[in-house]
Amino acid sequence: MQSEADIAEFLSLLNDAREHVSYFKELGVEGAAKLAQNTSPEPQSQPISRSETSTTTVVISAEPAVPSSTSGGLFDDFNPPPIKIQRSSETFEEIWADIGNCTRCPLYERRTHIVHTDGNRNARLMFVGEAPGADEDAQARPFVGRAGQLLTKIIEAIGFKREEVLIGNVNRCRPPGNRPPTPEEALMCKPFLLREIAAVQPEVIVVLGNTAMRNLLDIKQGITKVRGQFQDYHGVKVMPTFHPAYLLRDPSKKKETWEDLKKVRDYLDATRK
Ligand code: URA
Ligand code: URA
C-alpha cells in the first residue's frame, strides 16, 4: 500500500514533470509533449484526435494511468499519458460502458449512482463542475440541486436553454460529505470526461470553481486569479469562473461570473455559423 507520503511525493514529481513540459512548450520547443509521450513504453492508450491545427500530440488513455503499488519503486511504471483532445466518433454509451460499475477510486464505495455527463451531445457550450452532491447522487443527473438551479439561470442569462448545453463533472461519484475530490480521484475519472469532450467537440467549456479548474486544467493558480481569462486546453477554449455553490454563499461574486459568462456569450456569438 502507498503511504500518504508516497502519494504526496508522487504528486509533487508529477507536477514537476508537468511544469517541465509546459516550460519547454512555452519556450516554443517543439516535441516537448512527444518527449513526455516517448517515455511511455506501452501504447495501451487510445488516440483521440481533435483538430488538424493542433501541434501537440493527444492521446487519452482508455484506462487512467495510476502509480503502480506493486513494483519496487513507486514511479517505476507510472507514465502519465500526454493529453490532446482530438476528434473522436465514440458515443457516450461506449464511453459509459467502459466506465461500467466503476470501482477505480474509493468514491464508488458510498455512491448511489454514477452521475454521467448530461445534455446536448452536439453542444457548442459545455459546463464542467467538480463532482456530484447529494441531489445529483440521488437523481443520477449533474447539477440538479440548488447550485444546479443557479447554473440553469446562468445558462439562460447568456441566451441558452439548459437542454442546449452539455453539463458534466470531473468526478462522477459523490465524495462523502461533499469534500472536494482528491487529485488522484480526479486523475482516475477525468479520462472519461476527456473522451466525451473529444466526441462532442464543444467550442467553449466553462469550468466551475477552483477544484474543477485545477483538476481539469492541471494548473496551480487559484480561480480568483485565472477566472475570466480564456485558457487553451489542448485546443479547446476553456473559461474558468466561480462555482455556483460559491455564488450561493457569496452572491456579491455573481457580478464577476456574469462578466466571465458575457465573454463566453460574445465569443460564441462571434463564431456562430
Ligand atoms: N456541484 C458540482 O460540482 N457538480 C454537481 O453536479 C453539483 C454540484
Ligand atoms: N473557491 C472555490 O473553490 N470555488 C469558487 O468558485 C471560488 C472560490
Side-chain angles (χ1 to χ4, degrees):
M1 288 306 292
Q2 294 152 17
S3 69
E4 272 181 38
D6 281 340
I7 292 177
E9 194 197 350
F10 153 69
L11 285 174
S12 145
L13 282 175
L14 181 60
N15 261 328
D16 288 351
R18 282 205 186 106
E19 280 175 356
H20 205 68
V21 170
S22 56
Y23 175 70
F24 276 106
K25 272 198 212 141
E26 252 163 46
L27 291 180
V29 178
E30 288 268 74
K34 272 227 168 73
L35 211 110
Q37 191 191 9
N38 286 343
T39 62
S40 275
E42 289 170 283
Q44 257 178 355
S45 41
Q46 167 173 333
I48 301 183
S49 45
R50 186 170 197 265
S51 74
E52 306 72 36
T53 51
S54 306
T55 51
T56 40
T57 308
V58 174
V59 178
I60 297 170
S61 180
E63 288 300 317
V66 280
S68 161
S69 54
T70 51
S71 62
L74 181 58
F75 314 112
D76 283 0
D77 51 7
F78 178 65
N79 294 291
I83 297 166
K84 188 169 121 193
I85 301 175
Q86 302 182 353
R87 183 176 296 282
S88 105
S89 54
E90 279 194 302
T91 65
F92 278 22
E93 284 67 27
E94 286 163 349
I95 298 164
W96 298 353
D98 275 357
I99 294 173
N101 192 17
C102 186
T103 58
R104 291 171 180 84
C105 90
L107 294 183
Y108 84 90
E109 287 169 7
R110 292 175 59 187
R111 72 164 178 246
T112 312
H113 292 108
I114 297 178
V115 179
H116 291 304
T117 303
D118 184 41
N120 178 2
R121 296 179 190 182
N122 297 307
R124 302 180 69 204
L125 176 59
M126 178 176 192
F127 290 82
V128 174
E130 70 180 59
D135 295 306
E136 291 77 21
D137 178 58
Q139 296 179 44
R141 286 189 67 203
F143 282 103
V144 290
R146 277 187 73 219
Q149 286 159 24
L150 180 54
L151 179 62
T152 303
K153 286 188 193 157
I154 292 171
I155 292 166
E156 289 168 354
I158 54 165
F160 286 86
K161 297 194 186 87
R162 187 177 158 122
E163 314 80 74
E164 284 178 303
V165 306
L166 191 62
I167 303 177
N169 284 298
V170 177
N171 276 90
R172 291 169 200 248
C173 295
R174 182 197 181 198
N178 297 336
R179 67 163 173 79
T182 65
E184 295 91 333
E185 289 159 353
L187 274 176
M188 296 305 282
C189 215
K190 189 166 94 164
F192 302 107
L193 182 74
L194 298 183
R195 285 166 63 182
E196 289 169 339
I197 293 169
V200 173
Q201 302 268 305
E203 289 163 59
V204 176
I205 298 174
V206 175
V207 64
L208 301 163
N210 217 23
T211 306
M213 180 190 75
R214 288 182 167 169
N215 285 341
L216 181 70
L217 302 182
D218 310 317
I219 57 179
K220 278 188 177 164
Q221 288 161 296
I223 188 75
T224 315
K225 274 242 167 69
V226 183
R227 57 146 281 274
Q229 302 162 45
F230 277 115
Q231 308 290 310
D232 176 87
Y233 183 64
H234 307 294
V236 183
K237 254 182 144 59
V238 176
M239 174 59 78
T241 194
F242 292 131
H243 194 289
Y246 178 70
L247 302 180
L248 289 172
R249 294 196 298 274
D250 184 355
S252 72
K253 296 292 190 298
K254 286 182 184 174
K255 186 169 167 290
E256 277 107 314
T257 302
W258 174 234
E259 296 301 323
D260 303 345
L261 269 293
K262 271 195 298 190
K263 291 182 187 169
V264 170
R265 180 197 62 191
D266 291 349
Y267 174 79
L268 289 172
D269 279 351
T271 56
R272 193 184 298 275
K273 282 166 207 134

